[in-house]
Amino acid sequence: MPEEPTPESSPDARPDVRLTTIAREWGRIGCIGFGGPPTHIAMLRRLAVEREKWIDEVEFEDAIAATNLLPGPASTQLAIFCAWRLRGLRGALIGGACFICPGLAIIIVLSAVFLASNPPTWIKGAALGAGAAVAPVAINAALGLVPASWRRAGDVRARQFRWIVYAVAGGVAAATIGTWLVLVLLGCGLVEVMISGGVRWPRGPHAFVVSPLGVVATGGLGALAWVALKVGALSFGGGFVIIPLMQADAVHHYHWMTNAQFLNGVALGQITPGPVVQTVSVVGYAAAGVGGALLAALIAFSPSFVFILAGARHFGALRTNRVAQSFLGGAGPAAIGAIAGASIPLALAIAHVWQVFVLAGAFLLIVGLRRSVVLVLVAAGVIGAFGATLGLPTGG
């Protein structure tokens, strides 16, 4: 029996598309979507635009542009939007969950293996090898975002200069004050809005009142929830821009993980299918086991569902909104700088000389020769595992 149309469906929804079809197709992408956002976007385009013709090309491009204006994982938001476009609320919830859950299940299992208190020597070596290759991944991610962002700045020298300033600010913040990186991203976006977005600076004493973004948390599930919320709701640029933020909290502030374990978590987020933001689940596992991993994922991904369900109808207007574009003109370069800057604490986190050689080789392959990030990380893990069995140091 065909399913009945739902009253909460999106405009021009497709009640002929069954919810089971959404679950199957979005789940398939969640299972085989290795390679991060570019892969996810390409797979969604092939499915929804080219093969099934559920969504036209212009609307799909508008959705890509709009999700890039939002904080959080853009490809996850795009997956939720496409499912919402077909079957409204229920489609969004089912499609988003089926896109996220396969990678989440895999990364929780791998977290249990790699974060065990006393794993086998070869596991330690594999983790150290893959972790050593993470810093070049951050540099590569930043370089991949530069061309489009620089073009957005246009040919005006003043805007190009501000672009450089924002990028430097983001890079310095990521390398030095990771916990407060979000404030730098927001600040760069707001400065650009004030300069070019047609919004006046507030006047009077109230202009100097700043509402705190933080909450008082000394640890436990409350702190984990706050870290996950920052990842999902305040991380403009998505992906690697969350890394310095999480590293500062998980390693240095709350001491849930060591630097080496955090590198393992970043590597796991890269080699598993689904969104890179899954790394927050590794942090959650280190903080509070499987329950912590599920809590972190739930909180980190919830804002993406809220943004789409509340704002998808306005994506066309958002793409041309002057204030939104101006904000991205400041926060975007800062996020790119932050992604590149994240490579510094990631590189400094390695503990053994042999890892430096792995890092150099990964840099050559990923940044120089443009080889697959997933394959290079796996190869680095294999090298580390093999080296550990031959006696390379894995302690510390």
Side-chain angles (χ1 to χ4, degrees):
M1 291 286 294
E3 298 178 25
E4 293 295 324
T6 56
E8 79 277 7
S9 294
S10 61
D12 303 318
R14 297 286 302 267
D16 56 305
V17 180
R18 298 175 63 88
L19 293 173
T20 52
T21 300
I22 293 175
R24 182 185 69 246
E25 294 296 337
W26 270 246
R28 178 181 63 84
I29 295 173
C31 288
I32 64 175
F34 296 92
T39 299
H40 305 152
I41 292 171
M43 295 179 73
L44 287 166
R45 187 193 305 275
R46 282 196 297 270
L47 170 67
V49 178
E50 298 172 4
R51 194 182 83 194
E52 301 294 343
K53 303 188 185 306
W54 290 328
I55 302 173
D56 66 60
E57 180 70 26
V58 173
E59 185 178 15
F60 190 82
E61 291 297 328
D62 282 347
I64 293 174
T67 52
N68 278 311
L69 288 170
L70 299 173
S75 62
T76 301
Q77 292 166 354
L78 183 65
I80 297 169
F81 169 82
C82 291
W84 170 85
R85 178 63 178 73
L86 299 180
R87 291 300 304 268
L89 173 62
R90 289 194 291 173
L93 295 176
I94 291 173
C98 289
F99 176 77
I100 293 167
C101 286
L104 176 61
I106 294 171
I107 207 166
I108 290 176
V109 171
L110 292 176
S111 296
V113 173
F114 282 90
L115 299 183
S117 59
N118 189 28
T121 300
W122 72 270
I123 289 288
K124 293 181 182 178
L128 291 171
V134 165
V137 178
I139 295 174
N140 183 67
L143 291 175
L145 296 172
V146 168
S149 182
W150 182 257
R151 285 195 299 270
R152 188 179 293 113
D155 298 325
V156 180
R157 288 187 179 274
R159 294 183 63 183
Q160 292 176 342
F161 176 76
R162 293 199 302 273
W163 190 99
I164 295 172
V165 171
Y166 298 144
V168 170
V172 171
T176 58
I177 54 168
T179 301
W180 304 104
L181 173 61
V182 169
L183 295 179
V184 175
L185 299 181
L186 290 173
C188 290
L190 292 175
V191 167
E192 185 63 21
V193 167
M194 296 300 177
I195 293 174
S196 62
V199 178
R200 295 181 180 178
W201 288 101
R203 297 180 179 180
H206 61 276
F208 301 98
V209 177
V210 179
S211 299
L213 292 174
V215 295
V216 176
T218 58
L221 294 181
L224 177 60
W226 172 236
V227 172
L229 181 62
K230 287 191 290 185
V231 168
L234 298 174
S235 55
F236 293 90
F240 256 97
V241 78
I242 66 174
I243 298 304
L245 183 155
M246 284 195 294
Q247 186 177 19
D249 282 336
V251 177
H252 304 299
H253 188 58
Y254 298 114
H255 307 290
W256 294 323
M257 321 171 71
T258 65
N259 266 319
Q261 289 174 326
F262 184 78
L263 286 176
N264 300 344
V266 178
L268 292 178
Q270 290 289 313
I271 66 174
T272 50
V276 176
V277 175
Q278 300 279 25
T279 301
V280 75
S281 302
V282 186
V283 173
Y285 185 91
V290 174
L294 294 174
L295 174 66
L298 176 65
I299 293 176
F301 286 111
S302 291
S304 292
F305 286 91
V306 173
F307 292 148
I308 299 305
L309 294 175
R313 291 175 175 82
H314 310 291
F315 272 7
L318 180 63
R319 185 180 184 183
T320 58
N321 182 276
R322 184 180 177 187
V323 173
Q325 291 291 341
S326 296
F327 183 87
L328 185 63
I336 294 172
I339 294 170
S343 65
I344 296 175
L346 291 173
L348 293 175
I350 64 177
H352 303 288
V353 174
W354 66 267
Q355 290 180 282
V356 176
F357 293 97
V358 175
L359 184 153
F363 183 88
L364 175 64
L365 290 171
I366 295 174
V367 179
L369 301 179
R370 313 294 294 176
R371 297 294 184 260
S372 165
V373 166
V374 174
L375 293 180
V376 172
L377 286 171
V378 171
V382 170
I383 291 171
F386 185 70
T389 62
L390 295 180
L392 289 178
T394 59

